[in-house]
Amino acid sequence: MNVAAIVAEYNPFHNGHAYQIAETRRQTGADYLLVIMSGDFVQRGEPALLNKYVRARMALQNGADLVLELPAAYACASAETFAAGAVTTLHRLGVVDTLSYGSEYPQEELFSQLAGLYLHEPADFSQILRRRLKEGYTYPQARAAATDVWLAQAGQPACPPGLLSSPNSILAIEYHKALLSLDCGIRPLAIRRRGGYHDTSLPQTAASRTENPLPGNRLAEQNEFASASAIRRLLLEKDVKADKAAARLLSAHVPADVLEILCTNGRFMTAGDFSAALGFALLDTPPERFCEYADINGDLGDRMARFLLQYQGWQAFTDLIKTRQMTRSRISRAFLHLLLRIRQEQLRQWAAQGYAYYARVLGFRRQAAPLLTAVKKKSSVLLLTKMAAAKRNLDSWYQNEPSRQTYARQLLETDLRAAALYETMAAVRWGGIPEHEYRHGLILVDG
């Protein structure tokens, strides 16, 4: 059995994602394609536009065979923790042969070289890095600058311009780091990404000018794949259900079934919808304890405390406390960790014990049943399919490992808290009754 895997957010799913799935299958000849996907919150430290079940269905209807949930504590963490949590889970499933990732710079050998540099960090590199940090660089800027200097001093070719500041490349390096540290047999595969990660406008293609807002499941021209950022911007600015021109534009950049979901669902969530919850969490936490939570250091904690009484919402507070050394994503992740009660010490303990404690199934294609059977047979972590029985099954699985049992339950509680928060805020925003995780069934797709 040949299994390829992709780590994704699908926020939302678009033609570039469909292309990656198709190209991964073509290059690997995979029998099955497995996706490990962020749940209701994503790595930029914000809620996903749509809940994880809707996004899992999008993936399954467009080439994925099995979708697992990346635990919330890793999904909304730094690139290093995000990658380590995902790759370790894939490794412990025991069935994955290839890890596919998208990058504007598909240079696997270079990524592997940089991963080795960052993983082992020689003394001369560390010295350069510390010097750049003292000069006021953010950590990503300092590491990129130190890398350029170190490569030059070592007489090696410089990185392509932009590589070390590209979010996709940063993640690619972290995937390679995780694979190296695990010394596992999963092969990395870089798929060239088409389109800009931060582009906020949708390319105007011939397909977008058709009269039919539901044009069929097709891929746009490879050089016109839109970014998820651009698609989110359109969805939040336009009512694509009522605006036919917006729907036609969107139709060129997402598969037909995804377009239908986006045009009929409409229950999109943003960080602003969580402003009241964050405001309460800030007021409910003694300022001297802010730094207990992941991604909150002394400087950020001090600024949060200093401006607390000026809080007027998630985005406004981010703008108020942002500095040149703190990226918006870093601050937003810190807010989310506080909101979800994810502490620094917990992340350290989960990492020290190997990150992966279970693999939670969100959905699968019925024809992929042999893949599920293989995972159940070979996995060294518990496969969770019924959340109502998850705690009991975890206690049984780790009955002879009390520390791992404790950490597994803590990680699961964080997932449950994240899902409950998202569902509650969605109900506040759009009406209805929040649906508890225990009542959600698996997403099953035929074909």
Side-chain angles (χ1 to χ4, degrees), residues 156-168:
Q156 299 186 38
C159 293
L163 182 144
L164 293 173
S165 61
S166 162
N168 288 310

Side-chain angles (χ1 to χ4, degrees), residues 82-215:
F82 178 94
V87 172
T88 305
T89 301
L90 294 176
H91 170 56
R92 298 198 67 180
L93 292 177
V95 300
V96 176
D97 301 289
T98 305
L99 171 60
S100 168
Y101 58 86
S103 175
E104 296 87 349
Y105 309 88
Q107 302 187 37
E108 293 154 15
E109 290 186 7
L110 177 58
F111 288 144
S112 183
Q113 178 191 17
L114 294 176
L117 172 64
Y118 298 155
L119 185 63
H120 302 297
E121 203 168 286
D124 52 347
F125 176 81
S126 298
Q127 185 179 22
I128 301 169
L129 178 62
R130 288 194 298 271
R131 189 183 310 137
R132 291 295 182 267
L133 289 169
K134 289 180 180 178
E135 293 170 358
Y137 286 61
T138 65
Y139 184 80
Q141 292 170 340
R143 192 170 77 165
T147 301
D148 288 336
V149 173
W150 190 87
L151 289 173
Q153 291 179 348
Q156 299 186 38
C159 293
L163 182 144
L164 293 173
S165 61
S166 162
N168 288 310
S169 295
I170 292 170
L171 264 179
I173 293 168
E174 294 301 336
Y175 292 145
H176 279 258
K177 270 180 59 182
L179 291 171
L180 282 173
S181 64
L182 290 168
D183 192 25
C184 67
I186 298 177
R187 179 176 72 93
L189 172 66
I191 303 295
R192 180 179 292 277
R193 191 183 188 281
R194 314 280 181 169
Y197 181 84
H198 290 299
D199 291 346
T200 57
S201 60
L202 292 178
Q204 294 279 350
T205 67
S208 70
R209 295 190 290 272
T210 64
E211 295 301 319
N212 180 9
L214 294 172

Side-chain angles (χ1 to χ4, degrees), residues 317-387:
F317 199 52
T318 301
D319 293 337
L320 187 63
I321 66 177
K322 185 182 181 301
T323 68
R324 191 165 64 90
Q325 287 75 30
M326 299 180 193
T327 65
R328 293 184 61 85
S329 293
R330 157 73 188 283
I331 295 171
S332 199
R333 283 197 298 269
F335 290 168
L336 192 51
H337 290 142
L338 176 67
L339 192 54
L340 296 179
R341 301 305 190 192
I342 300 172
R343 289 177 166 80
Q344 306 267 18
E345 181 61 17
Q346 283 182 309
L347 270 183
R348 188 196 66 76
Q349 291 171 338
W350 291 330
Q353 291 288 325
Y355 289 101
Y357 299 86
Y358 53 81
R360 195 271 174 95
V361 178
L362 291 176
F364 63 96
R365 284 160 42 97
R366 294 184 191 275
Q367 290 81 352
L371 174 59
L372 271 177
T373 300
V375 171
K376 290 177 181 177
K377 180 179 179 181
K378 297 183 179 181
S379 177
S380 60
V381 293
L382 178 64
L383 198 66
L384 298 180
T385 56
K386 295 181 180 179
M387 290 303 286

Side-chain angles (χ1 to χ4, degrees), residues 26-296:
R26 185 187 71 81
Q27 291 194 31
T28 65
D31 300 304
Y32 298 104
L33 194 139
L34 182 157
V35 170
I36 182 165
M37 187 188 78
S38 300
D40 292 323
F41 296 92
V42 296
Q43 207 255 331
R44 62 193 292 129
E46 296 182 353
L49 196 70
L50 293 162
N51 74 43
K52 58 194 175 189
Y53 299 102
V54 175
R55 289 161 34 244
R57 182 175 294 280
M58 290 176 174
L60 291 168
Q61 291 178 170
N62 287 279
D65 292 302
L66 171 64
V67 179
L68 305 176
E69 179 183 2
L70 180 63
Y74 308 146
C76 60
S78 66
E80 182 177 29
T81 301
F82 178 94
V87 172
T88 305
T89 301
L90 294 176
H91 170 56
R92 298 198 67 180
L93 292 177
V95 300
V96 176
D97 301 289
T98 305
L99 171 60
S100 168
Y101 58 86
S103 175
E104 296 87 349
Y105 309 88
Q107 302 187 37
E108 293 154 15
E109 290 186 7
L110 177 58
F111 288 144
S112 183
Q113 178 191 17
L114 294 176
L117 172 64
Y118 298 155
L119 185 63
H120 302 297
E121 203 168 286
D124 52 347
F125 176 81
S126 298
Q127 185 179 22
I128 301 169
L129 178 62
R130 288 194 298 271
R131 189 183 310 137
R132 291 295 182 267
L133 289 169
K134 289 180 180 178
E135 293 170 358
Y137 286 61
T138 65
Y139 184 80
Q141 292 170 340
R143 192 170 77 165
T147 301
D148 288 336
V149 173
W150 190 87
L151 289 173
Q153 291 179 348
Q156 299 186 38
C159 293
L163 182 144
L164 293 173
S165 61
S166 162
N168 288 310
S169 295
I170 292 170
L171 264 179
I173 293 168
E174 294 301 336
Y175 292 145
H176 279 258
K177 270 180 59 182
L179 291 171
L180 282 173
S181 64
L182 290 168
D183 192 25
C184 67
I186 298 177
R187 179 176 72 93
L189 172 66
I191 303 295
R192 180 179 292 277
R193 191 183 188 281
R194 314 280 181 169
Y197 181 84
H198 290 299
D199 291 346
T200 57
S201 60
L202 292 178
Q204 294 279 350
T205 67
S208 70
R209 295 190 290 272
T210 64
E211 295 301 319
N212 180 9
L214 294 172
N217 193 345
R218 65 171 181 274
L219 299 181
E221 293 297 322
Q222 290 184 8
N223 61 353
E224 294 208 29
F225 288 150
S227 70
S229 297
I231 292 172
R232 287 195 300 272
R233 179 180 179 182
L234 176 70
L235 291 169
L236 294 172
E237 291 181 352
K238 304 287 187 179
D239 180 358
V240 292
K241 183 177 182 179
D243 189 331
K244 291 184 178 180
R248 282 198 298 271
L249 176 58
L250 183 61
S251 73
H253 303 289
V254 300
D257 57 311
V258 172
L259 177 65
E260 188 170 9
I261 291 172
L262 294 175
C263 287
T264 57
N265 186 291
R267 293 168 58 92
F268 305 132
M269 299 296 290
T270 69
D273 296 316
F274 293 76
S275 289
L278 175 61
F280 176 78
L282 287 165
L283 292 172
D284 191 48
T285 306
E288 64 272 15
R289 300 188 65 179
F290 283 161
C291 292
E292 292 181 11
Y293 296 94
D295 269 333
I296 303 180

